[in-house]
Amino acid sequence: MQSEENKLSMEKNKKRRLKTPAQLTALENFYNDHKYLTEEMKSELAEELELTEKQISGWFCHRRLKDKKLMNDEVGANGRQDRSSGVIQDRGSGLVQDSCGSTKHGDYRYLDPKEVESHGLYNHEFSAADMTYAQRNNHHYAENDSATDNTSSESCSSLQDRLLPQGQDQYDMEPSSHLMPNGSLPPLNPKGANNMGYKPSGYLKVKGEIEHVAITAVKKQLGNHFQEDGPLLSVEFDTIPPGAFEGQIADLANEGYYAANPALPNSPEVSAAKKQSSGSRYDSYFTKLRSQDSHKEGSDFGSLHGPDLQDKKPHKHINQRASFHSFTNHLPHKNSSLDLYVDSTGEASAYNGAKNHRMGTKHGFEGMRSDSASNPSDHYEENAVAVKQIDSLLHLYNNINLKNVQKSEYVKSKPSNLVHKSQIYLNAEEKGLTKRMAKEEKFNGDRKLKKQYHDPDGIKVLSNEKMVAKRAKVDPFQQYDVKQTPVSDLEPRKVQRSAAEMPSSFSEDETAETSSSVD
DNA sequence: TTGTGTTTTATTGCCTCC
DNA sequence: GGAGGCAATAAAACACAA
């Protein structure tokens, strides 16, 4: 009833209406895992969010455009300086650079530009860093490649089991076989996806090929250090003296692709990977990260890498990765739906690292503050309700995921890039992040101070609670009356971008996932 | 307070695929 | 031809500096 009324009123009111924070959060999180909606998803989302399907479609459409636009911006801003590992770049991009520097579709003529673009490769954007991460998580990727766009490692495991023999990673099985005799990478050939008896069609086919090449490229660059049947990057290195790479780190702060740059064999990323590669260290690393968390932004990295950068680059790296897991977690011992709101900075945000950085600052805190000042109780109600709404949406989301897994037709027919694309975007935006850091610095400092003030013990609390805490600072005597309110009744966002764009910390999902892969 | 720039939302047209 | 997606555009909402 109310939903219908809302929709009617919305249609009557031609004036554009801003989505509520809860709606945006739900949309963002859903978008993180599903760039493209099925009819079912759309209708359910529309119902849950009390929006029209048209609005849902439109939002996702624009969201994709936004991603793409950000992508283009970051690529343009970073120029081609990060393309030192050209083979990877060009392979990944699907574009081949000829001797004159012009680009053309070479061996990738099989690729549908549209599909390539939707992978975030349209603008030559397939960084080594992306691929490094892809390689680290190729198990995860394989799931997506082989089964569904459902990013849940749990929900798609059955499909994966069916499609991949004994949980083997199709790309890890014979990585060297992907290399040409001269060590170069073979051209993309969709037909190559047949090796495992599983032949993804259309989108998934292309996707698999791209990742396939990407992963292979990284493995190639890792050379002998990569162990096919062992933990990722399972190489024992000599202990690196403290501060040995601080100089490099400083330089690399402005580079997003160094991870797989052969010119930097001792790059901090590699050393970090080394640490992460061995199970115990890796586990302890992220266990530490988890426990000390999410609130002490970057502080834990200080002991690992160096003072300032850890606060930014590595942490952002981690944060961004984690975000799209926030809605994909189906393991009971892992993140709850409420964890969706928890992030390392105290702001709620989604996948958009670079932009979120700004948004989280502006909207997440200051917007919140001003909002609180104006109407604190409303704000609390809004967020309290938002938590419930998100929780509710989580169920919706899980249901949809489950349905998707069960719907093999959907898997076959529906193109989806999902995590892969998210990953690409995340890393691309991450690169741009460094450019904005200076501008954001003062905000961050301010924010951190305030955070510490409100959360001195680093106790994991909902950002909503933090919102309350922040507001409480403004109005410490306010009593809150939490009432259940329909999403559509929520006050239009004042912190519209905050909840949807959390620079999250490493998700437990990923941690566990990686750990399990090590095991 | 106001002007300006940015972001978000809505609309429309075109294209591709089935 | 319909559905879905992308791109361009306009306009509202918002943020921010002067």
Side-chain angles (χ1 to χ4, degrees):
Chain A
M1 286 286 288
Q2 195 172 12
S3 173
E4 292 300 319
E5 289 175 3
N6 288 334
K7 289 179 181 178
L8 285 176
S9 64
M10 275 190 293
E11 289 180 2
K12 283 180 181 179
N13 187 5
K14 290 293 180 182
K15 226 174 185 179
R16 58 177 278 243
R17 295 168 63 96
L18 295 180
K19 306 287 188 295
T20 65
Q23 288 172 330
L24 286 171
T25 303
L27 287 168
E28 284 285 355
N29 283 287
F30 207 93
Y31 176 80
N32 288 337
D33 290 322
H34 297 277
K35 297 288 183 292
Y36 295 86
L37 293 174
T38 64
E39 276 300 317
E40 186 179 11
M41 292 176 180
K42 194 190 302 179
S43 59
E44 292 197 43
L45 258 183
E47 185 178 352
E48 285 291 327
L49 298 178
E50 299 184 1
L51 296 171
T52 65
E53 291 186 17
K54 191 176 179 180
Q55 283 178 303
I56 299 295
S57 295
W59 189 91
F60 271 78
C61 181
H62 289 114
R63 193 62 186 76
R64 289 189 292 268
L65 289 175
K66 178 183 169 185
D67 267 350
K68 190 174 181 178
K69 185 171 179 292
L70 285 172
M71 190 70 163
N72 293 340
D73 291 344
E74 300 303 340
V75 169
N78 284 282
R80 306 191 66 79
Q81 64 176 3
D82 296 321
R83 316 220 178 275
S84 53
S85 53
V87 58
I88 293 179
Q89 300 298 330
D90 292 337
R91 292 286 176 180
S93 70
L95 295 172
V96 175
Q97 218 173 26
D98 62 23
S99 56
C100 300
S102 63
T103 57
K104 62 184 179 185
H105 289 279
D107 293 329
Y108 308 93
R109 57 190 175 277
Y110 294 109
L111 293 178
D112 180 353
K114 201 167 186 177
E115 292 177 328
V116 172
E117 173 272 330
S118 64
H119 282 282
L121 306 175
Y122 188 75
N123 292 286
H124 315 205
E125 191 58 38
F126 197 86
S127 72
D130 296 336
M131 286 181 281
T132 298
Y133 183 43
Q135 186 260 352
R136 287 179 194 161
N137 297 275
N138 53 20
H139 179 71
H140 189 81
Y141 276 96
E143 293 174 351
N144 291 288
D145 290 345
S146 60
T148 173
D149 62 354
N150 185 340
T151 59
S152 164
S153 57
E154 175 112 53
S155 58
C156 64
S157 59
S158 58
L159 274 172
Q160 184 195 2
D161 292 342
R162 280 205 304 266
L163 300 172
L164 295 176
Q166 299 298 321
Q168 282 180 298
D169 185 324
Q170 70 181 89
Y171 298 134
D172 270 350
M173 288 187 65
E174 298 180 41
S176 58
S177 67
H178 302 318
L179 298 177
M180 301 293 280
N182 63 357
S184 64
L185 294 165
L188 283 176
N189 181 2
K191 293 177 182 176
N194 287 328
N195 323 353
M196 304 305 297
Y198 165 59
K199 183 181 179 181
S201 62
Y203 196 92
L204 291 179
K205 176 175 63 183
V206 176
K207 176 182 163 114
E209 285 300 314
I210 292 171
E211 289 171 0
H212 168 115
V213 173
I215 293 166
T216 303
V218 173
K219 289 177 179 175
K220 174 174 178 284
Q221 293 194 358
L222 290 172
N224 295 331
H225 300 301
F226 181 84
Q227 295 183 359
E228 297 299 336
D229 54 352
L232 298 179
L233 295 172
S234 179
V235 179
E236 289 300 329
F237 291 82
D238 294 335
T239 304
I240 300 173
F245 300 109
E246 284 182 359
Q248 280 190 354
I249 291 173
D251 291 336
L252 292 168
N254 292 322
E255 297 183 15
Y257 297 111
Y258 62 80
N261 188 342
L264 298 170
N266 295 325
S267 70
E269 193 74 59
V270 173
S271 62
K274 290 182 300 187
K275 293 184 178 184
Q276 295 167 12
S277 63
S278 67
S280 59
R281 276 182 290 181
Y282 185 90
D283 289 342
S284 62
Y285 177 84
F286 291 110
T287 300
K288 183 180 179 184
L289 184 68
R290 279 200 303 273
S291 59
Q292 297 190 359
D293 158 279
S294 359
H295 297 295
K296 298 174 183 176
E297 189 175 35
S299 59
D300 294 336
F301 283 78
S303 59
L304 291 173
H305 297 298
D308 197 21
L309 175 67
Q310 297 84 6
D311 212 46
K312 314 265 182 354
K313 172 80 169 99
H315 206 59
K316 288 299 174 186
H317 209 96
I318 292 170
N319 288 345
Q320 292 164 355
R321 288 181 202 161
S323 59
F324 52 77
H325 289 286
S326 59
F327 243 92
T328 66
N329 203 329
H330 301 276
L331 299 182
H333 65 284
K334 296 178 182 176
N335 294 348
S336 69
S337 60
L338 297 183
D339 283 341
L340 173 69
Y341 280 91
V342 180
D343 67 272
S344 61
T345 65
E347 268 87 49
S349 66
Y351 75 98
N352 193 337
K355 188 176 173 190
N356 291 344
H357 196 65
R358 169 175 177 262
M359 289 174 169
T361 303
K362 287 200 300 186
H363 301 271
F365 179 74
E366 292 194 342
M368 211 173 298
R369 185 175 52 189
S370 62
D371 206 28
S372 305
S374 61
N375 197 348
S377 61
D378 283 353
H379 195 87
Y380 180 82
E381 290 177 18
E382 178 176 312
N383 288 291
V385 171
V387 172
K388 293 183 179 179
Q389 294 288 347
I390 297 304
D391 210 23
S392 158
L393 286 165
L394 257 181
H395 293 298
L396 161 69
Y397 175 86
N398 290 335
N399 290 338
I400 291 175
N401 272 346
L402 182 60
K403 291 173 186 174
N404 288 342
V405 172
Q406 295 167 342
K407 288 169 63 180
S408 58
E409 281 304 312
Y410 166 72
V411 173
K412 290 182 199 171
S413 62
K414 272 295 174 182
S416 177
N417 39 7
L418 300 175
V419 173
H420 188 180
K421 184 177 178 183
S422 297
Q423 220 96 53
I424 294 170
Y425 285 156
L426 291 179
N427 287 283
E429 290 168 4
E430 172 188 18
K431 290 178 291 181
L433 178 63
T434 58
K435 297 183 299 180
R436 306 186 189 192
M437 282 180 179
K439 183 177 180 180
E440 304 301 331
E441 198 66 40
K442 64 173 183 177
F443 286 111
N444 289 336
D446 186 40
R447 188 176 57 192
K448 287 175 185 174
L449 286 175
K450 291 180 179 354
K451 192 189 314 176
Q452 290 171 357
Y453 174 82
H454 290 297
D455 190 18
D457 297 325
I459 299 171
K460 196 174 186 180
V461 295
L462 292 176
S463 65
N464 283 299
E465 295 173 3
K466 289 186 175 182
M467 293 175 187
V468 175
K470 288 171 182 174
R471 185 176 54 70
K473 186 178 181 182
V474 177
D475 186 3
F477 305 108
Q478 181 67 40
Q479 296 297 320
Y480 309 115
D481 179 23
V482 182
K483 295 180 288 189
Q484 175 71 331
T485 311
V487 175
S488 58
D489 290 348
L490 295 176
E491 187 169 332
R493 65 162 177 243
K494 294 284 187 343
V495 288
Q496 53 180 329
R497 302 165 192 132
S498 62
E501 296 158 345
M502 61 177 75
S504 56
S505 59
F506 235 81
S507 73
E508 295 182 9
D509 192 8
E510 177 174 338
T511 305
E513 180 181 293
T514 311
S515 299
S516 65
S517 70
V518 170
D519 297 335

